[in-house]
Amino acid sequence: MSELIRFGVSLEKVLLQKFDKHIKKENYANRSNAIADLIRDKLIRQEWTEDKEVAGAIIMVFDHHKRDLVNNLTNIQHDYHKYIISSQHIHLDHDNCFEIVVVKGKPHKLEELANKLKSAKGVKHASLSLATTGKEV
Ligand code: NI
C-alpha cells in the first residue's frame, strides 16, 4: 500500500447523511474506505472507456434444451478464446444452466464477446461485470 494522505472534504449535510446511511448499509468501517472504493470504482469505469487491458466476468443463464444453443455458445467462446481466462458451468436445475466466463483484454473485444453471447437465441440472461486487472488502481 502506498503512503496515506489526509485531506479535508466539504459536503452538503444532507448528502453526507445519505452517504453515511449508504456506507452503514454496505458495512464500511469508516468513510475513508468507502470514499477510496468510490474513487477506485470510478477509475475502473474510466479504464473501460480507454484502450487499456481490463478484466471482467460474463454471467449467463440459459436453457440447455434449446436447439443448437450450447453449440452456438461454445463456438462463440472459441472465437474469443484468447480473451477467456476460465469458465464455469453450473447446472441450476433440470433445464437451466448458469455459466460464468472470466475475461481479460481490451474493453471493446470483451464487450463484443458479451454482446454476442447475450444475443444468442435462448439466452435468458447475460451481463458483463466490469472489473480491473488491478494494475492501475
Ligand atoms: Ni448445464
Side-chain angles (χ1 to χ4, degrees):
M1 194 191 240
S2 66
E3 182 195 356
L4 287 177
I5 297 183
R6 289 182 70 90
F7 67 102
V9 178
S10 303
L11 287 179
E12 288 172 26
K13 190 177 175 186
V14 175
L15 187 60
L16 184 60
Q17 285 169 341
K18 284 181 181 169
F19 186 64
D20 283 343
K21 207 172 146 190
H22 161 78
I23 66 178
K24 194 177 168 196
K25 206 169 89 186
E26 298 215 342
N27 218 20
Y28 279 102
N30 55 57
R31 288 175 181 156
S32 295
N33 289 349
I35 290 170
D37 269 5
L38 280 179
I39 294 170
R40 281 194 206 97
D41 194 51
K42 182 72 185 165
L43 294 175
I44 288 167
R45 282 171 194 283
Q46 184 63 36
E47 279 183 23
W48 277 78
T49 67
E50 295 164 1
D51 203 31
K52 291 178 178 169
E53 186 180 64
V54 291
I58 300 164
I59 61 169
M60 294 186 283
V61 176
F62 55 91
D63 183 343
H64 74 106
H65 295 303
K66 198 91 186 172
R67 197 179 144 84
D68 295 332
L69 178 59
V70 174
N71 237 339
N72 193 8
L73 295 176
T74 304
N75 286 338
I76 295 168
Q77 291 188 48
H78 274 273
D79 287 343
Y80 289 82
H81 69 89
K82 61 179 180 178
Y83 304 101
I84 296 175
I85 299 170
S86 85
S87 66
Q88 188 176 18
H89 184 107
I90 296 113
H91 311 302
L92 277 183
D93 57 30
H94 184 264
D95 305 314
N96 293 294
C97 302
F98 191 109
E99 207 160 299
I100 307 163
V101 183
V102 180
V103 290
K104 189 168 92 170
K106 295 286 171 73
H108 71 278
K109 295 305 287 185
L110 306 186
E111 280 159 356
E112 195 179 278
L113 168 59
N115 287 337
K116 284 191 181 178
L117 293 170
K118 188 189 279 191
S119 60
K121 204 172 173 208
V123 172
K124 294 179 176 181
H125 170 82
S127 60
L128 172 63
S129 182
L130 313 185
T132 175
T133 60
K135 291 174 188 161
E136 304 269 339
V137 290

Coordinates of all heavy atoms in Angstrom, one line a residue, residues 89-91 97, ligand 1:
H89 N -19.4 -23.9 -15.6 CA -20.8 -24.2 -16.0 C -21.4 -24.8 -14.8 O -20.9 -25.8 -14.2 CB -20.7 -25.1 -17.2 CG -22.1 -25.5 -17.7 ND1 -22.5 -25.0 -18.9 CD2 -23.0 -26.3 -17.2 CE1 -23.8 -25.5 -19.1 NE2 -24.1 -26.3 -18.1
I90 N -22.6 -24.3 -14.4 CA -23.3 -24.9 -13.2 C -24.7 -25.3 -13.7 O -25.4 -24.5 -14.4 CB -23.4 -23.8 -12.1 CG1 -22.1 -23.5 -11.6 CG2 -24.3 -24.3 -11.0 CD1 -21.7 -22.1 -11.8
H91 N -25.1 -26.5 -13.4 CA -26.5 -27.0 -13.8 C -27.4 -26.5 -12.7 O -27.4 -27.1 -11.6 CB -26.5 -28.5 -13.9 CG -25.4 -29.0 -14.8 ND1 -25.2 -28.6 -16.1 CD2 -24.4 -29.9 -14.5 CE1 -24.2 -29.3 -16.6 NE2 -23.6 -30.0 -15.6
C97 N -29.0 -23.7 -17.1 CA -27.6 -23.7 -16.8 C -27.2 -22.2 -16.5 O -27.8 -21.3 -17.0 CB -26.8 -24.1 -18.1 SG -27.3 -25.7 -18.7
Ligands
NI1 NI -25.9 -27.3 -17.5

